[in-house]
Amino acid sequence: MKDPAYEAGLAVRRRVLGEAHVKRSLENTTAFDEDFQDLITRHAWGDIWTRPGLDYRTRSLITIALLAASGRNDELNLHLRATRNTGATADDVKEVLLQVAVYVGVPAANSAFRIAKSAFEEMAKEGSR
């Protein structure tokens, strides 16, 4: 059993990203990246996402803005898909990406809009099954 921060982080990680994603991540963990998986579960999810100051929707939107601004497109796609669990809407994401366009730059927002559009289209198709 891991410490309480890890366990709390794992619960939030599962709630936000979904059980299937987290299960895959943990099953694919090797000796090489085990410490990294522990670090992100404990610190990102356990220390930050469990704090009482912001709700999941707000944290989700901040994360999306930061990922779009820094060009971390794989993680951006993951967190766009997680909006189905955080309460952030497509309109919320649109507003955040417009902020990114002005404060970070049009190329970053352009890439993020393309990724968001694709992610929301895929989620809509998945929801109609």
Side-chain angles (χ1 to χ4, degrees):
M1 174 118 191
K2 301 278 186 173
D3 67 52
Y6 179 90
E7 294 301 328
L10 189 58
V12 173
R13 190 176 178 192
R14 284 181 170 133
R15 184 188 182 293
V16 171
L17 299 180
E19 179 63 39
H21 171 80
V22 175
K23 183 179 180 193
R24 258 190 327 275
S25 293
L26 295 176
E27 286 176 350
N28 291 326
T29 298
T30 66
F32 179 75
D33 65 348
E34 180 178 25
D35 291 339
F36 177 70
Q37 287 295 321
D38 183 74
L39 179 130
I40 61 174
T41 301
R42 176 178 281 108
H43 297 295
W45 297 104
D47 290 339
I48 300 302
W49 278 76
T50 62
R51 292 179 56 81
L54 299 172
D55 60 20
Y56 289 155
R57 178 185 163 275
T58 303
R59 288 189 193 282
S60 176
L61 292 170
I62 291 168
T63 302
I64 288 167
L66 293 169
L67 293 170
S70 61
R72 303 301 189 246
N73 295 340
D74 289 340
E75 289 290 316
L76 174 60
N77 189 47
L78 173 67
H79 280 274
L80 287 164
R81 297 180 67 75
T83 59
R84 66 174 69 157
N85 301 323
T86 65
T89 67
D91 285 338
D92 293 334
V93 171
K94 176 177 72 174
E95 293 302 321
V96 164
L97 297 181
L98 289 170
Q99 288 283 121
V100 168
V102 171
Y103 288 97
V104 178
V106 171
N110 189 41
S111 293
F113 265 105
R114 180 183 45 75
I115 292 164
K117 186 176 173 181
S118 177
F120 289 132
E121 287 172 354
E122 287 175 19
M123 289 189 297
K125 289 177 188 173
E126 291 168 2
S128 65
R129 288 183 190 162

